[in-house]
Amino acid sequence: MRTILLTLMLVTGFCISVQAQERYRNFIQIGLTETACYSNQERGLDLSQNPTKDFRNSMGISLSIGRWVSRKVGLRLKFYGLDYKTVVSDNREENKSRYMAAFGDVMLNASSFLFGESKTRRWEISPFLGGGINRNFTYDEYGIGLRLGLLNNWRLYKRLSLQLELAYSVYEPDTDGFNPYENVVSGSSRHSLKNRDRSIIMELGLNYRFGK
């Protein structure tokens, strides 16, 4: 995972250095998030996987700054956090924790790739891939993570858009503060997806573009 994260950082830095003089718009995003948390230590507890359950669901806020370095490729630095659920039971209060995450994302404007560039387009869809770090304040833990997602923008005015974003994140096993292999099934791979902390994040917010 660290190798993939380093590769993403190098690609991001290369794009910035090559495209720094291009006159495309910068943007800032702010939103409200709903996060469904899935902890590796809940294996074997037979808990509901429903992302809307209050013992695994939490609310937060997000702030992003970025730049479309070309008409089809964008770079973004995103911060989000507040409440988190370290799922050890179906008790909401027992699972509560606090966190903050910072991710760098590479975004592709799929609408421009598929349908060509258009200044009058109302809806744009952009898949993204990112890497970053999660800080769990309650359990004093850090965890490197990777994520992928889909960003939808509906233009309200010339520079203001409504955005809906969905992301899936995977973190190192001890990110939520618990022994990563405490409830691992015998014989399973310690690096498998099921043995890592994961989250599904849905976000609703606003996107404002600025600059030339």
Side-chain angles (χ1 to χ4, degrees):
M1 183 175 287
R2 287 183 174 85
T3 302
I4 298 175
L5 178 59
L6 179 60
T7 302
L8 285 170
M9 293 172 63
L10 291 174
V11 169
T12 300
F14 175 76
C15 290
I16 291 175
S17 64
V18 170
Q19 298 289 348
Q21 302 303 316
E22 293 290 337
R23 298 178 65 184
Y24 297 112
R25 291 187 176 174
N26 307 310
F27 61 86
I28 184 169
Q29 301 167 332
I30 186 169
L32 296 175
T33 63
E34 281 277 347
T35 302
C37 306
Y38 296 85
S39 302
N40 50 29
Q41 68 271 1
E42 68 179 89
R43 291 185 61 176
L45 299 181
D46 196 29
L47 298 177
S48 171
Q49 300 299 296
N50 187 335
T52 65
K53 291 293 185 179
D54 64 357
F55 68 83
R56 70 168 71 254
N57 187 270
S58 59
M59 293 192 65
I61 57 176
S62 71
L63 176 66
S64 308
I65 54 174
R67 180 179 179 86
W68 287 99
V69 296
S70 76
R71 297 295 184 184
K72 298 176 181 177
V73 179
L75 302 174
R76 176 177 69 174
L77 181 60
K78 189 177 187 76
F79 302 91
Y80 58 90
L82 198 57
D83 287 335
Y84 194 80
K85 292 296 191 301
T86 297
V87 183
V88 295
S89 71
D90 59 1
N91 185 303
R92 178 184 180 183
E93 295 300 318
E94 184 180 2
N95 293 345
K96 277 186 176 181
S97 61
R98 294 276 182 167
Y99 86 112
M100 187 182 77
F103 276 80
D105 295 327
V106 178
M107 304 180 296
L108 300 178
N109 189 323
S111 300
S112 292
F113 272 108
L114 297 175
F115 308 111
E117 298 174 9
S118 174
K119 294 183 179 180
T120 60
R121 181 176 290 123
R122 287 286 181 182
W123 173 55
E124 290 186 330
I125 184 169
S126 304
F128 60 85
L129 176 66
I133 189 167
N134 185 314
R135 168 73 163 117
N136 189 310
F137 295 104
T138 303
Y139 295 99
D140 193 26
E141 290 285 353
Y142 292 87
I144 293 175
L146 295 174
R147 70 186 202 130
L148 56 86
L150 203 59
L151 172 64
N152 292 271
N153 275 313
W154 288 271
R155 185 160 57 89
L156 303 175
Y157 300 101
K158 184 177 181 180
R159 295 190 177 187
L160 184 66
S161 300
L162 178 69
Q163 70 174 38
L164 177 64
E165 180 173 311
L166 185 66
Y168 179 75
S169 302
V170 179
Y171 301 101
E172 291 182 302
D174 56 351
T175 300
D176 64 359
F178 277 73
N179 185 335
Y181 309 117
E182 187 171 298
N183 290 322
V184 172
V185 176
S186 176
S188 63
S189 171
R190 47 186 291 146
H191 299 296
S192 70
L193 187 61
K194 291 182 178 180
N195 294 338
R196 295 185 178 274
D197 295 326
R198 294 150 286 143
S199 66
I200 299 173
I201 304 176
M202 185 174 69
E203 177 183 341
L204 181 64
L206 294 174
N207 181 320
Y208 178 75
R209 293 192 179 191
F210 60 95
K212 296 182 179 180

